[in-house]
Amino acid sequence: MTDAIHPAPKEFSVDQLQIDPILRYFHYSHLPDKLQGASRPFCDLAGHIVDTLPRNPERTVALRKLLEAKDAAVRANVQ
């Protein structure tokens, strides 16, 4: 992935991001504290998924749906 992320995510390594580019959307350290609290559990779960499940189409679907849920949770906290 050639698109730069500003700021660079701290939650996943460069190697992890190269293997699973979707992880770039789970980083949260750039968010305000209130939104970090909503986003962090989804980041943790995304990490757990890539660490414990084999890389296959179903894992990709799980990450995509988790990302949708994370986005909704963060939006629910935006005022």
Side-chain angles (χ1 to χ4, degrees), residues 3-19:
D3 296 341
I5 305 170
H6 299 284
K10 298 176 183 174
E11 294 79 13
F12 298 105
S13 71
V14 172
D15 290 340
Q16 288 174 307
L17 292 168
Q18 287 177 340
I19 293 169

Side-chain angles (χ1 to χ4, degrees), residues 34-49:
K34 181 178 180 181
L35 299 181
Q36 282 189 24
S39 186
R40 180 176 308 183
F42 294 94
C43 181
D44 294 342
L45 185 52
H48 178 74
I49 288 170

Side-chain angles (χ1 to χ4, degrees), residues 18-59:
Q18 287 177 340
I19 293 169
D20 287 294
I22 194 170
L23 294 176
R24 66 185 295 187
Y25 301 113
F26 287 98
H27 79 287
Y28 58 85
S29 58
H30 64 291
L31 296 172
D33 289 341
K34 181 178 180 181
L35 299 181
Q36 282 189 24
S39 186
R40 180 176 308 183
F42 294 94
C43 181
D44 294 342
L45 185 52
H48 178 74
I49 288 170
V50 299
D51 288 344
T52 61
L53 297 178
R55 191 163 194 248
N56 59 41
E58 290 304 315
R59 185 180 89 165

